[in-house]
Amino acid sequence: MPRKPWDLDFTAEPEEVAALRRIMRLHLGSWGLHGLVDSAQLCVSELVANVITHVGLGTPTTLAVSMSGTHLRIEVHDPDTRALPTLVHAGSDSEGGRGMALVDAIADRWGVQLRGDRKVTWCELATGLSSADGHCGGARVTRAEAMLGLYGAARLPRTAAPSTLSVAVAEEAAIDVIADLLHWLRVHGCDADEALDRAQFQFEAEISEAEGSSK
């Protein structure tokens, strides 16, 4: 699964945070990193809030997201190279200083880079992937990936390598797999609708269990 870096320019305003959180959820969902959504959204919220508080409302800012090895990397760029984020261990009765402390608690690592015209505050979250383009989801996803590779190869141009299987091609290949299995069940006297219902029930139960264990 290719996970291409992306970035988004915005102005540092409180109203922008909700939209940025939604965008993070959508992108991480398309990358198959559902388990990181809550942590990534919180990091984005705090990094943007840090710009609003210490640089100023309306600051031209950029959110950049990429893979750093097997870690998810989140960057917030702003033009002020003087206001450097610091880790403040705020007391229980303090209203400030909590932002980077939250990022420090959630992220595996974080830091600040100074470039010629901007400051980059970044953090990285562990994905549990074996490679930057690898899949998460366990043995079921691994088996499905192997099967989709066989089906999807027939849809690729002859000059394309099997590794270039796109999400769109893989989705069509998955539909072919499901249709073929339903045909197989039918010719063997099985109830295809019942099989679909059972598969859907099992899928939803496993997703629910996985989400429960991640909280």
Side-chain angles (χ1 to χ4, degrees), residues 40-72:
Q41 286 182 323
L42 182 54
C43 287
V44 168
S45 296
E46 296 303 331
L47 293 178
V48 174
N50 192 72
V51 175
I52 293 172
T53 301
H54 299 289
V55 182
L57 285 169
T59 299
T61 313
T62 300
L63 171 66
V65 180
S66 61
M67 294 298 297
S68 175
T70 59
H71 283 71
L72 176 71

Side-chain angles (χ1 to χ4, degrees), residues 3 28 31-40 43 66-74 103-110 122-132 134-136 214:
R3 299 181 174 93
L28 293 185
W31 282 5
L33 301 178
H34 304 279
L36 290 182
V37 169
D38 290 344
S39 295
C43 287
S66 61
M67 294 298 297
S68 175
T70 59
H71 283 71
L72 176 71
R73 184 178 178 91
I74 301 170
V103 172
D104 183 68
I106 294 170
D108 285 73
R109 47 185 178 255
W110 69 275
W122 60 270
C123 66
E124 294 184 353
L125 302 170
T127 64
L129 299 172
S130 58
S131 67
H135 285 273
C136 54
S214 65

Side-chain angles (χ1 to χ4, degrees), residues 100-169:
M100 296 313 298
L102 283 172
V103 172
D104 183 68
I106 294 170
D108 285 73
R109 47 185 178 255
W110 69 275
V112 182
Q113 294 177 333
L114 295 180
R115 300 180 183 174
D117 60 347
R118 64 188 185 277
K119 171 174 83 261
V120 179
T121 308
W122 60 270
C123 66
E124 294 184 353
L125 302 170
T127 64
L129 299 172
S130 58
S131 67
D133 292 336
H135 285 273
C136 54
R140 287 192 181 277
V141 174
T142 301
R143 292 197 298 267
E145 184 74 7
M147 185 181 298
L148 292 177
L150 295 174
Y151 273 72
R155 293 179 173 271
L156 294 172
R158 291 183 181 274
T159 57
S163 60
T164 61
L165 188 65
S166 68
V167 174
V169 173

